[in-house]
Amino acid sequence: MPAPSPLRRLATSAAICLALMGTAHAATGNDTVQLQVDATAKGTPLPHFWEQMFGSGRAVLALRDDYRKDLEAVKGATGFSYIRFHGIFDRDMGVAYRDAQGKLQFNFSYVDQVYDGLLERGVKPFVELGFMPPELSTDPASHHDFWYHPNVMPAKDWNEWDAMMRAFLQHLVERYGIEEVRSWYFEVWNEPNLAFWGGKPEQPTYYELYDRTARVVKSVDQQFRVGGPGTAQAAWLPDFLKHVKQSGAPIDFVSTHVYGDDTADNVFKTNEKIPRRDMVCRAVDKSHKEVAASPFPKLPLIYSEYNASYANLPNVTDSVYMGPWMANTIRECAGKVDMMSYWSFSDVFDEQGVVRNPFYGGFGLIAADRIEKPAFNAFAMLHKLGDVQLPLKTDSALATKRSDGTVVLALWNYTPPLGNTADYTPGVPTGATKHFDVDVKHLGNASQATVWRLDETHGNAVSAFDKMGRPNTPSREQIKQLREAGKLSAPEQAKLKNGKLSIDVPAQGLVVVELH
């Protein structure tokens, strides 16, 4: 993680009360929350499912220096283990070609450079098997409308697809060793229910792709992990799992995607208005129940893409809004999903073209020019949570405990984003300050609290960018200033009084507290 910025002014609250007991209720006013926590209460496991994997721009971008530096920064902040991206077989990766006689040949030199770069930085591939090399495609001229134009058509000869898959997997084993590759995941394609799959009709042609690919994966090694369908909008899971049961194709995990602004009509086939704060975990709950009711009730559920928005909304993904949104997502999704992959770790990303402004609403935790966004600081702060969740009935806090007994709390003040379009809406987050009275029982000799903050005036590079006039191409000096402004603010220190602490959190603010 980067060096902290100068120490911020210590909060003037007389006491900081944090309590862990299984009950929490509104106190004297609508904006006051009283938390009672018992540090010795029996909790539930809280594996850090939200930060084990991240998405990224397409495969070839992993060769860039700024991509790799951003990867190191996010690895340092979260300790994440896996990364997923599109396009490992795209034309710019040079995997498939035909010799002078028209015979299909393979070249994995760029694949090696991509995977070597990940592994050298302590990150493993979550391999999305796609898209289609033009040399194999039923229609080499048919492209998805992403800026880099991947080919998403089926293979004209499935035997050639099988041969490429087998050669790819055998090469991975030769280069990285069987035990290493057994620790990876292999996901068949991306969002076949949208324009990323050109087979017609979609489901049966994807099922053929899945069955063939999964069988090739297992033919190379029975312990390789393969799954799908990687659908958008939490779609297809019951039908897909029913098909796999009938076909006998292997499956080790089930995967799908959802975003905070997906509609209820698309995800649930209803006319509800589901708020951005709840959509992701409502979908996770749906998928969790579908897997439990399927022929594979114990199958791991992986959300291999999620975020607050699938669009470029600068008041959402660039802003401090992401702190409360992420904290609430952890609270709502806990216990229902095995792994979630935030899309994406970096704005080294070009699906809509080359970045024209560092804060355009990109999906990444780090903006262009290696400027850490508020979302990066949110992940860094929430990484501090323990691996046991203590009982707490509130929609504005989490109480956790680490293996050494340290209690860690997350407190937040969720309010909607200021704007909901591609055009940035300037301004300070609106809404009342939320006051937390925390009372933690059975803390032993703990008397010290360390408090990290993310809000409009803490860890927020966007505020500094606004003051600069939001230049499309900041100068080198401005980039230096923005990097400094984006750093996680140094923590405050506070004294506990009989296990009690009081803390104020402004609108769209996130606070993480360690009790020592």
Side-chain angles (χ1 to χ4, degrees):
M1 293 178 62
S5 56
L7 183 63
R8 305 281 180 167
R9 182 174 60 88
L10 187 64
T12 56
S13 300
I16 298 181
C17 312
L18 302 158
L20 306 158
M21 184 182 147
T23 61
H25 57 275
T28 55
N30 291 335
D31 300 311
T32 298
V33 178
Q34 289 188 342
L35 303 179
Q36 292 185 330
V37 185
D38 184 349
T40 62
K42 183 178 181 181
T44 54
L46 186 69
H48 285 210
F49 59 89
W50 67 91
E51 61 174 1
Q52 294 177 24
M53 176 164 65
F54 285 89
S56 91
R58 59 190 171 122
V60 75
L61 296 178
L63 301 178
R64 283 174 44 170
D65 181 63
D66 51 353
Y67 180 106
R68 293 180 173 187
K69 286 178 177 174
D70 286 356
L71 188 78
E72 291 167 356
V74 176
K75 173 70 174 180
T78 67
F80 80 104
S81 300
Y82 292 94
I83 196 155
R84 173 187 180 269
F85 41 69
H86 307 319
I88 197 66
F89 301 136
D90 281 0
R91 185 179 182 279
D92 54 20
M93 289 295 292
V95 168
Y97 67 98
R98 295 190 185 276
D99 62 20
Q101 290 72 45
K103 184 178 179 182
L104 190 63
Q105 303 287 346
F106 306 112
N107 178 3
F108 300 111
S109 61
Y110 271 17
V111 170
D112 294 343
Q113 291 179 51
V114 166
Y115 290 160
D116 286 358
L118 301 182
L119 294 170
E120 286 166 7
R121 289 159 178 82
V123 179
K124 297 176 183 288
F126 185 100
V127 183
E128 177 197 302
L129 298 169
F131 292 112
M132 190 61 65
E135 292 79 5
L136 276 66
S137 176
T138 54
D139 185 358
S142 180
H143 299 140
H144 188 275
D145 61 4
F146 277 167
W147 180 74
Y148 58 89
H149 293 320
N151 189 286
V152 296
M153 300 303 290
K156 60 185 175 183
D157 181 344
W158 282 117
N159 291 324
E160 289 190 337
W161 170 265
D162 293 351
M164 183 183 71
M165 286 301 310
R166 187 170 290 106
F168 171 69
L169 293 160
Q170 289 173 342
H171 175 80
L172 296 180
V173 172
E174 291 168 3
R175 186 170 185 86
Y176 301 109
I178 193 75
E179 291 302 324
E180 173 60 37
V181 183
R182 283 173 177 170
S183 70
W184 300 8
Y185 291 82
F186 295 92
E187 181 184 43
V188 181
W189 215 256
N190 173 72
E191 297 188 351
N193 59 322
L194 296 185
F196 295 98
W197 175 241
K200 300 297 179 188
E202 290 173 344
Q203 269 193 328
T205 55
Y206 173 75
Y207 290 167
E208 180 180 10
L209 170 72
Y210 179 83
D211 289 359
R212 297 186 69 104
T213 306
R215 289 186 172 113
V216 171
V217 170
K218 291 293 189 178
S219 74
V220 176
D221 188 81
Q222 281 292 319
Q223 293 186 48
F224 285 174
R225 294 182 287 195
V226 65
T231 43
Q233 300 164 347
W236 287 16
L237 296 197
D239 289 345
F240 172 71
L241 294 174
K242 180 179 178 182
H243 162 78
V244 171
K245 179 65 174 178
Q246 292 171 345
S247 74
I251 187 166
D252 298 295
F253 63 89
V254 62
S255 62
T256 189
H257 307 160
V258 77
Y259 287 83
D261 45 13
D262 278 325
T263 66
D265 178 48
N266 285 329
V267 179
F268 298 98
K269 312 306 178 188
T270 68
N271 294 320
E272 301 171 78
K273 298 295 183 183
I274 300 176
R276 187 187 304 275
R277 63 173 288 172
D278 300 322
M279 173 55 80
V280 166
C281 294
R282 282 278 301 272
V284 166
D285 181 66
K286 167 181 174 282
S287 300
H288 175 75
K289 291 174 180 175
E290 289 171 346
V291 173
S294 79
F296 306 95
K298 302 297 184 182
L299 205 62
L301 172 62
I302 297 176
Y303 261 70
S304 52
E305 286 184 29
Y306 81 102
N307 200 323
S309 177
Y310 59 76
N312 295 140
L313 306 181
N315 289 103
V316 178
T317 47
D318 285 345
S319 76
V320 295
Y321 168 84
M322 293 304 296
W325 187 86
M326 268 307 308
N328 187 65
T329 296
I330 295 168
R331 179 188 69 85
E332 288 189 351
C333 290
K336 299 177 181 179
V337 63
D338 292 272
M339 189 158 58
M340 298 179 75
S341 179
Y342 184 90
W343 188 263
S344 59
F345 86 92
S346 168
D347 281 349
V348 177
F349 194 89
D350 60 7
E351 289 178 1
Q352 290 78 43
V354 177
V355 172
R356 298 181 179 91
N357 183 292
F359 291 100
Y360 68 100
F363 305 117
L365 300 184
I366 303 178
D369 297 312
R370 306 201 316 276
I371 302 165
E372 292 163 0
K373 296 186 187 182
F376 177 94
N377 291 327
F379 270 90
M381 290 165 61
L382 294 166
H383 180 66
K384 301 177 186 296
L385 293 174
D387 56 7
V388 172
Q389 183 176 356
L390 297 167
L392 199 61
K393 294 180 180 178
T394 178
D395 63 0
S396 299
L398 276 168
T400 69
K401 186 165 60 175
R402 297 181 189 153
S403 58
D404 65 359
T406 300
V407 171
V408 186
L409 307 175
L411 316 172
W412 61 89
N413 186 353
Y414 181 94
T415 62
L418 290 177
N420 195 34
T421 71
D423 294 324
Y424 178 68
T425 301
V428 176
T430 57
T433 295
K434 192 181 290 288
H435 179 77
F436 290 85
D437 286 328
V438 186
D439 183 6
V440 186
K441 304 297 185 184
H442 305 123
L443 267 177
N445 295 324
S447 61
Q448 187 83 8
T450 303
V451 181
W452 284 269
R453 291 183 177 271
L454 172 64
D455 53 45
E456 182 66 16
T457 59
H458 295 81
N460 181 18
V462 176
S463 178
F465 188 61
D466 289 350
K467 293 173 183 175
M468 292 175 180
R470 299 183 67 84
N472 284 335
T473 53
S475 68
R476 291 171 65 86
E477 179 58 31
Q478 287 175 320
I479 290 168
K480 181 179 178 181
Q481 293 169 11
L482 290 169
R483 288 175 180 167
E484 181 65 24
K487 290 178 181 177
L488 182 63
S489 296
E492 304 162 359
Q493 301 298 323
K495 293 290 186 181
L496 290 169
K497 293 186 177 180
N498 299 318
K500 295 182 178 181
L501 188 67
S502 292
I503 219 161
D504 288 340
V505 183
Q508 292 189 9
L510 170 67
V511 169
V512 168
V513 184
E514 277 185 339
L515 303 176
H516 306 286

